[in-house]
Amino acid sequence: MRVLSGIQPSGSLHLGNFFGMMKKMIDYQQQEELFCFIANYHAMTSLLDGKTLAKGTLEAAANFLALGLDPEKSVFWVQSDVPEVQELAWILSNFTPMGLLERCHSYKDKVAQGISPNHGLFAYPVLMTADILLFQSDRVPVGKDQKQHLEVARDIAIKYNNHYGEVFTVPEPEIDNDVATVPGLDGRKMSKSYGNTIDLFLDEKPLRKQIMRIVTDPTPVEEAKDPDSCNIFQIYRLFLNETGTAELRKRYQTPGLRYGDVKQELFETVRDFFAPYTERRKELLADPDGLRKTLARGAEKARYVANKTMRKVRQKGGLTY
Ligand code: ADP
Ligand code: TRP
């Protein structure tokens, strides 16, 4: 089964990104044929500073590779290195009713926020559809926020296939409701936009500072505490197995637990868990040409598959004559 997903190169990463998405993607490569790309064209809808985008793209590559994505086992590339995706997006535009795009929440939300929408933002789901169909993807794991875009992709694939015959695999979304939302320092969803994150790849000092900012309730030390409503517990448990979680729960229920001590333990746990990845990331970033080579090999593999699809698409559409 072919699993595909794209990730925007959007700067720093946090525990929510890691447990909610990246770890899952990386685990896929063990059983499935994984296609994973850095969606730099999509990132342009919110980032038009060229230098920042270029830097973010290399960093995103280093992040994934450091965390264990194996470019030999999977196909890993940068979206713009396979420009066929733009050709396909244009062709698919002709199978995309305006109303379908006008109904998209992410577009409507931006308009409602008063952002003056441009065509890139409007056509975003068509490019995303092209990403998916170009590689004949069977499954696309995405967060809840992307569910509607997957429905658009399926609609367009079906419309196209009805017109020209079965060319595209109609993709199945995979929206994992098991992946609980990782809470942030204040208990709301951990998110860059809330400024409540614990970031990956930090040095010790800033990492400790973030963890010490976790909001706790004022239950006195000598009283038992409720683990389920505690932000430290909810984050800490991501790093613990069943026995570890049960033990921590017991400590909460026993008077005498100090939140400061648990924060310190959590800090040490997060630091030690990510230390080897942080080291590997540093090495990767110290050799940008090595990263570029890895990405170029990935693009070559991706382009081979893309061109197989495009030969059919061009022929069906009368673009070869
Ligand atoms: P942010 O909210 O920080 O801007 P993004 O929207 O860039 O995060 O997140 C990229 C992906 O990471 C999401 O589609 C989702 O799968 C995952 N993700 C982000 N935050 C969380 C979270 N708090 N809990 C679980 N998954 C998350
Ligand atoms: N829109 C996705 C996001 O912001 C990224 C993305 C682009 C994507 N193309 C894709 C995800 C294709 C899955 C499949 O998260």
Side-chain angles (χ1 to χ4, degrees), residues 10 14 16-17 20-21 143 145 179-182 189-193:
S10 53
H14 53 71
N17 300 135
M21 185 257 297
D145 57 326
V179 178
T181 302
V182 176
K189 171 186 182 255
M190 187 177 287
S191 171
K192 272 193 295 292
S193 39

Coordinates of all heavy atoms in Angstrom, one line a residue, residues 10 14 16-17 20-21 143 145 179-182 189-193, ligand 1:
S10 N 7.6 24.6 8.2 CA 7.1 25.8 8.9 C 7.9 26.1 10.2 O 7.3 26.3 11.2 CB 5.6 25.7 9.2 OG 5.4 24.4 9.9
H14 N 7.4 21.1 17.5 CA 7.1 20.9 19.0 C 6.6 19.5 19.2 O 6.5 18.7 18.3 CB 6.1 22.0 19.5 CG 4.8 22.1 18.7 ND1 3.9 21.1 18.7 CD2 4.4 23.0 17.9 CE1 2.9 21.5 17.9 NE2 3.2 22.6 17.4
G16 N 3.8 18.3 19.9 CA 2.6 18.0 19.3 C 2.8 17.5 17.8 O 2.2 16.6 17.4
N17 N 3.7 18.2 17.1 CA 4.1 17.8 15.8 C 4.7 16.4 15.8 O 4.4 15.6 14.9 CB 5.1 18.7 15.1 CG 4.6 20.2 15.0 OD1 5.3 21.1 15.3 ND2 3.3 20.3 14.6
G20 N 2.0 13.8 17.2 CA 0.8 13.8 16.4 C 1.0 13.4 15.0 O 0.0 13.0 14.3
M21 N 2.2 13.6 14.4 CA 2.3 13.4 13.0 C 3.7 12.8 12.6 O 3.7 11.7 12.0 CB 2.2 14.8 12.3 CG 2.2 14.8 10.9 SD 3.7 15.4 10.2 CE 3.8 17.0 10.8
G143 N -4.1 15.3 9.6 CA -4.8 15.8 10.8 C -6.3 16.2 10.4 O -6.6 16.3 9.2
D145 N -7.7 18.9 10.4 CA -7.8 20.1 9.7 C -7.8 19.9 8.2 O -8.2 20.8 7.4 CB -6.8 21.1 10.2 CG -5.3 20.5 10.0 OD1 -5.2 19.3 10.2 OD2 -4.4 21.3 9.7
V179 N -4.8 9.4 17.9 CA -3.7 10.3 18.3 C -4.4 11.4 19.1 O -5.0 12.3 18.5 CB -2.9 10.8 17.1 CG1 -1.9 11.8 17.6 CG2 -2.3 9.7 16.4
A180 N -4.2 11.4 20.4 CA -4.9 12.4 21.2 C -4.1 13.7 20.9 O -3.0 13.7 20.6 CB -4.7 12.0 22.7
T181 N -4.8 14.8 21.1 CA -4.2 16.1 20.9 C -3.2 16.3 22.1 O -3.5 16.1 23.2 CB -5.3 17.2 21.0 OG1 -6.2 16.9 20.0 CG2 -4.7 18.6 20.8
V182 N -2.0 16.6 21.7 CA -1.0 16.9 22.7 C -1.3 18.2 23.4 O -1.3 19.2 22.7 CB 0.4 16.8 22.1 CG1 1.5 17.2 23.2 CG2 0.7 15.5 21.5
K189 N -4.6 23.0 23.2 CA -3.8 22.2 22.2 C -2.4 22.9 22.1 O -2.3 24.1 22.0 CB -4.6 22.3 20.9 CG -3.8 21.7 19.7 CD -4.6 21.9 18.4 CE -3.8 21.3 17.3 NZ -3.1 22.1 16.3
M190 N -1.4 22.0 22.1 CA -0.1 22.6 21.9 C 0.0 23.1 20.4 O -0.3 22.4 19.5 CB 1.0 21.6 22.1 CG 2.4 22.1 22.0 SD 3.8 20.9 22.4 CE 3.6 20.7 24.1
S191 N 0.3 24.4 20.3 CA 0.3 25.0 18.9 C 1.2 26.2 18.9 O 1.3 27.0 19.9 CB -1.1 25.4 18.6 OG -1.1 26.2 17.4
K192 N 1.9 26.3 17.8 CA 2.8 27.5 17.6 C 2.0 28.8 17.8 O 2.4 29.7 18.4 CB 3.3 27.6 16.2 CG 4.6 26.8 15.9 CD 5.2 27.2 14.6 CE 4.4 26.7 13.4 NZ 4.3 25.3 13.2
S193 N 0.7 28.8 17.3 CA 0.0 30.0 17.4 C -0.5 30.4 18.8 O -0.9 31.5 19.0 CB -1.2 30.0 16.4 OG -1.8 28.7 16.4
Ligands
ADP1 P1 0.7 24.4 14.8 O1 -0.7 24.2 15.4 O2 1.8 24.4 15.9 O3 0.8 25.5 13.8 P2 0.8 22.6 12.6 O4 -0.6 23.0 12.1 O5 2.0 23.1 11.8 O6 1.0 23.0 14.1 O7 0.9 21.0 12.7 C1 1.3 20.2 11.7 C2 0.7 18.8 12.1 O8 1.2 18.4 13.4 C3 -0.8 18.8 12.2 O9 -1.5 18.5 11.1 C4 -1.0 17.7 13.3 O10 -1.1 16.4 12.6 C5 0.2 17.7 14.1 N1 -0.1 18.5 15.4 C6 0.2 19.8 15.6 N2 -0.1 20.1 16.9 C7 -0.5 19.0 17.5 C8 -1.0 18.7 18.8 N3 -1.0 19.6 19.8 N4 -1.4 17.4 19.1 C9 -1.3 16.5 18.1 N5 -0.9 16.7 16.9 C10 -0.5 18.0 16.5

